Amino acid sequence: MYINKCTKCGKEFETKNPKRVICPACLYPDRTTTSPDTEAPQAPVYPRSYSAGSDNENYRKPQQNRENRPYQNNRFNKPNNRNFGNKPFNKGSRKPAPKKPKQLLLSKEQIEQIEALYKKMLPLPNHDAHEVIGAQLSIEPKKVFFGINLIRQKMMLPKITYPKRKLALTLDQLTAIKNLYEPLLPTPPIGCHKIIAAQLRMDEWRVHVGIGLVRKQMGLQRWNPEREDAPEEFKVKKED
């Protein structure tokens, strides 16, 4: 405690603040109960924007803990058991649709029948083998063609493409006919197409067409005009 002398009344007084020069009696004349030995309490200080009698009571109220504050909107507290269509969602309500068994183009028995007929046409099957076999078995030619490729794959043979148009001969068949026909030149025997057809397991009319193509490629006439055993039809044309 410090003992200072009042500048107004000249009395000495005790104070905790050494800079205070006015005694409590002169500083608070209306407070008669205050003894000179005690110091009057200081009035509370408020910010300029707020006063002691202000209506804004929230300024001095402590903020409520956000963790303990309940949500005002109850939609956050309700379990979301509806989907976008506002329909109840139940995981067990929807069952996966059973998978339909794949429908085979050909049965096992049909493939065996096609294989038996196709092997008889080897090594050089006709270009329309799928149509010939389909007519015999009463099966659609496209399905027979699919079965032929399965058989060729089983026999380690390359796959063939579906013919865009009907042809009498394939390139392999024409090459095979040419290899067997050239050694018979220059005067092949009459009916050689039958011999070649038997060797290649082909239709005789296909071999006949192939021989005509081979002679055309080699620049030869359809018949040899010098041969004595030429057909009668050719001799008549020659005389005309």
Side-chain angles (χ1 to χ4, degrees), residues 73-192:
N73 195 345
N74 294 330
R75 68 184 182 90
F76 294 101
N77 297 331
K78 294 181 179 180
N80 187 7
N81 58 351
R82 295 182 178 271
N83 54 13
F84 293 100
N86 295 328
K87 295 181 180 180
F89 180 76
N90 188 1
K91 293 183 178 180
S93 61
R94 293 184 180 180
K95 296 182 180 179
K99 295 183 179 180
K100 296 182 180 180
K102 294 183 179 180
Q103 187 176 3
L104 300 178
L105 293 177
L106 296 170
S107 63
K108 184 178 180 181
E109 292 76 10
Q110 289 175 331
I111 294 177
E112 292 177 354
Q113 293 174 354
I114 294 172
E115 183 177 1
L117 295 175
Y118 184 73
K119 285 184 177 180
K120 293 179 180 180
M121 298 180 179
L122 295 175
L124 297 172
N126 299 333
H127 203 68
D128 55 354
H130 58 289
E131 295 182 357
V132 176
I133 297 175
Q136 295 179 8
L137 301 178
S138 299
I139 303 176
E140 188 178 352
K142 290 184 178 180
K143 294 183 179 181
V144 177
F145 186 84
F146 173 76
I148 288 174
N149 268 333
L150 293 178
I151 296 167
R152 291 181 65 88
Q153 185 177 3
K154 177 182 176 182
M155 300 176 64
M156 305 298 291
L157 295 175
K159 289 186 177 182
I160 55 177
T161 57
Y162 193 83
K164 297 181 180 179
R165 58 189 179 92
K166 292 184 179 181
L167 298 175
L169 296 169
T170 64
L171 182 60
D172 294 338
Q173 289 174 336
L174 184 61
T175 303
I177 293 171
K178 184 177 181 180
N179 293 335
L180 295 178
Y181 182 73
E182 285 182 344
L184 303 177
L185 295 174
T187 308
I190 299 297
C192 63

Side-chain angles (χ1 to χ4, degrees), residues 8-68:
K8 287 186 177 183
C9 62
K11 295 181 179 180
E12 293 183 354
F13 62 94
E14 293 183 357
T15 180
K16 295 180 179 179
N17 188 358
K19 296 182 180 181
R20 184 178 297 279
V21 293
I22 299 175
C23 65
C26 296
L27 184 61
Y28 308 105
D30 297 336
R31 297 183 181 181
T32 56
T33 58
T34 304
S35 61
D37 297 335
T38 60
E39 188 175 358
Q42 298 181 0
V45 180
Y46 298 95
R48 294 182 181 179
S49 59
Y50 298 95
S51 61
S54 175
D55 295 334
N56 190 355
E57 298 178 356
N58 295 330
Y59 174 75
R60 299 185 61 84
K61 291 182 179 180
Q63 294 183 357
Q64 191 175 8
N65 191 356
R66 293 183 178 180
E67 296 180 357
N68 299 328

